[in-house]
Amino acid sequence: MSTFKAPKGTYDLTPPDSAKYLAVREALSAPLKNSGYGYIETPGFEDVALFSRGVGESTDIVSKEMYTLTTKGGSELALRPEGTASVLRAALEANLHKLGNLPVKLWYSGSYYRYERPQKGRYRHFSQVGAEAIGAEDPALDAELIILADQAYRTLGLQNFRILLNSLGDKECRPVYRDALQEFLRELDLDDDTRRRIDLNPLRVLDDKRPEVQKQLVGAPVLRDYLCDACKAYHEEVRDLLTAAGVVYEDDEKLVRGLDYYTRTTFEFVHDGLGSQSAVGGGGRYDGLSEMIGGPALPSVGWALGVDRTVLALEAEGIELELPSATSVFAVPLGEEARRVLFAKVTELRRVGVAADFAFGGRGLKGAMKSANRSGARFTVVAGERDLAEGVVQLKDMESGEQQAVALDALVAEVQQKLA
Ligand code: ATP
Ligand code: MG
């Protein structure tokens, strides 16, 4: 071990476990690639004001969890705590909303940073796969995203997750509700921090997980009773489309989520095997965000799924992903001449697309065969001087244990045929 360790609240991904993370990222993004979403990548840091304006000053993310820094040139930057504001910023900057038809559908995958108290499922560096559909107000788009996330989790084999669904209203009806809620909350017995929150972001008080707060919230006004007709109809349509698609969800009128920019549809995917860090993903509609960061009106909807927590959810359900072995052929040379000949064969195999590896480091047969076993390769190719003198190599099927001599010149074709 070196004197250095991964910083607090972070962890490294190393083989063989790292393969599982790659597979999860791939599975979470596969339905998007299949549904018209284009890949977008943005920097790991942005102007801090993008988040304070976009995500909101009153959110925990901005007020407590952001890693901010001042550069030598005096710029105020923040490591990205989430993806939506950056993706929208990039889409506007590239004029994607003017170049083609709306909505602009984008997906991303990357690292996010939040200064949180580290615990299981809550890290300071974590990984998300996200999707944003920018510039269209259409309940089918909200439904599409929820259906695709559901599909992503199901292809991984997950079953014990639930979809919580709510509508947060729009700029017509939410302010009326906000006033009513504030009036209710001001009568309660709450600590100073929470009292401040009543003024800044009263909906977030509903999200308070503490039992002494939750107890007092019984009887609080619920948004559903305040939704305007347009929001009600929109929400009904989203619910109907989900039902028609066979996606089961639960109405959760307390679901508000931690970001200021959400309007109308909000949803969260929670997994029951994860304890208190139960959200594996979440998202919603954010019709006002573009204008908040200086863009035109672009009603949009999106989600972000947590890769780390999805892996924990798989473990909680005891699901082992079937990961194809990374290597198909492992070459074991015996002697100097064989080393050169087999190294050339490995190169040739790789060039035709066969995953191949080689016993490096000049170890003996026993050590090399151990590496071959550990690689998970389906075939081992062994050759010594006597084999080469006869123009053959020994091809061993690691599954059946059968071994046969194959002409050196025919090896690549033979392997390709057996693997097909
Ligand atoms: P939570 O309520 O657990 O704090 P959140 O509402 O802050 O979650 P989002 O901003 O919606 O989370 O991010 C989407 C997903 O990213 C979450 O559902 C979760 O799976 C994951 N996520 C968020 N914060 C962290 C973190 N600190 N460590 C690991 N995963 C995280
Ligand atoms: Mg959080």
Side-chain angles (χ1 to χ4, degrees):
M1 205 174 73
S2 88
T3 37
F4 295 105
K5 287 187 175 164
K8 186 177 170 190
T10 72
Y11 63 98
D12 303 307
L13 290 177
T14 53
D17 282 356
S18 49
K20 192 158 62 179
Y21 281 75
L22 271 183
V24 166
R25 281 197 194 109
E26 172 61 30
L28 294 180
S29 53
L32 300 167
K33 296 178 198 164
N34 202 27
S35 309
Y37 289 75
Y39 179 65
I40 184 165
E41 205 167 305
T42 64
F45 48 81
E46 297 273 354
D47 187 332
V48 70
L50 173 68
F51 301 116
S52 46
R53 262 206 264 160
V55 179
E57 298 274 12
S58 69
T59 61
D60 283 352
I61 291 181
V62 168
S63 63
K64 297 183 192 152
E65 298 170 1
M66 225 159 35
Y67 281 91
T68 55
L69 59 117
T70 309
T71 66
K72 290 190 176 72
S75 306
E76 303 279 344
L77 302 176
L79 300 188
R80 60 183 180 186
E82 60 103 50
T84 304
S86 312
V87 166
L88 190 55
R89 193 269 308 139
L92 291 172
E93 189 170 333
N95 276 319
L96 298 185
H97 58 300
K98 290 185 191 155
L99 298 177
N101 288 333
L102 296 175
V104 177
K105 301 207 289 186
L106 303 165
W107 76 273
Y108 57 90
S109 170
S111 292
Y112 297 85
Y113 307 87
R114 295 184 195 176
Y115 190 71
E116 303 209 65
R117 193 168 67 80
Q119 49 201 296
K120 191 167 187 205
R122 192 175 293 290
Y123 311 105
R124 291 180 170 178
H125 165 258
F126 59 99
S127 167
Q128 290 182 337
V129 170
E132 314 292 349
I134 297 165
E137 195 184 77
D138 183 342
L141 205 50
D142 307 42
E144 166 175 287
L145 279 163
I146 296 172
I147 292 166
L148 293 177
D150 179 77
Q151 188 185 330
Y153 289 130
R154 293 207 183 274
T155 54
L156 283 166
L158 285 175
Q159 290 183 324
N160 304 338
F161 66 87
R162 293 177 291 130
I163 302 173
L164 309 180
L165 183 67
N166 195 19
S167 170
L168 291 181
D170 62 7
K171 57 181 186 301
E172 301 304 318
C173 52
R174 185 141 95 219
V176 185
Y177 171 70
R178 197 173 183 269
D179 288 347
L181 182 64
Q182 277 174 328
E183 204 171 302
F184 174 89
L185 294 173
R186 287 202 179 102
E187 298 303 311
L188 304 183
D189 177 25
L190 299 166
D191 58 277
D192 289 346
D193 238 18
T194 313
R195 295 212 147 271
R196 258 192 301 280
R197 192 171 275 172
I198 295 175
D199 295 321
L200 285 171
N201 196 348
L203 271 72
R204 285 285 281 146
V205 180
L206 299 178
D207 208 19
D208 200 314
K209 304 281 186 319
R210 292 173 295 177
E212 66 270 25
V213 177
Q214 279 301 324
K215 217 167 52 204
Q216 298 190 68
L217 291 176
V218 179
V222 292
L223 227 165
R224 194 185 42 208
D225 300 333
Y226 289 78
L227 291 184
C228 61
D229 288 344
C231 283
K232 244 187 244 167
Y234 194 96
H235 197 52
E236 272 315 301
E237 180 66 12
V238 174
R239 295 170 79 245
D240 287 349
L241 288 166
L242 291 177
T243 305
V247 170
V248 179
Y249 59 87
E250 296 170 23
D251 292 307
D252 181 355
E253 63 210 16
K254 289 229 168 75
L255 180 72
V256 295
R257 301 194 28 81
L259 291 78
D260 271 359
Y261 53 60
Y262 284 117
T263 50
R264 289 194 169 168
T265 315
T266 42
F267 51 87
E268 205 157 83
F269 286 76
V270 292
H271 192 278
D272 292 323
L274 292 188
S276 49
Q277 270 59 254
S278 63
V280 288
R285 180 156 276 284
Y286 49 92
D287 292 343
L289 178 59
S290 174
E291 286 155 295
M292 278 156 78
I293 63 170
L298 284 171
S300 306
V301 56
W303 52 236
L305 312 183
V307 175
D308 313 75
R309 286 189 202 169
T310 302
V311 171
L312 291 175
L314 288 169
E315 285 164 8
E317 288 196 35
I319 297 168
E320 292 279 349
L321 297 179
E322 276 179 35
L323 302 174
S325 142
T327 304
S328 299
V329 179
F330 197 95
V332 176
L334 304 172
E336 194 49 35
E337 193 196 344
R339 205 173 73 90
R340 260 181 245 122
V341 172
L342 285 196
F343 187 71
K345 282 293 160 198
V346 163
T347 302
E348 216 180 312
L349 282 165
R350 289 172 176 167
R351 283 185 178 145
V352 299
V354 174
D357 204 355
F358 184 77
F360 291 99
R363 278 160 306 152
L365 180 62
K366 215 170 130 208
M369 286 311 287
K370 225 187 228 169
S371 301
N373 269 318
R374 204 173 299 143
S375 77
R378 175 72 199 282
F379 297 101
T380 308
V381 177
V382 185
E385 263 159 54
R386 204 177 329 142
D387 297 306
L388 295 180
E390 292 169 21
V392 299
V393 296
Q394 302 299 323
L395 181 65
K396 185 176 177 188
D397 185 327
M398 301 297 272
E399 260 170 37
S400 65
E402 270 168 49
Q403 186 169 314
Q404 67 182 115
V406 173
L408 190 58
D409 295 342
L411 176 67
V412 172
E414 180 77 21
V415 164
Q416 275 184 303
Q417 198 199 345
K418 282 183 186 290
L419 285 172

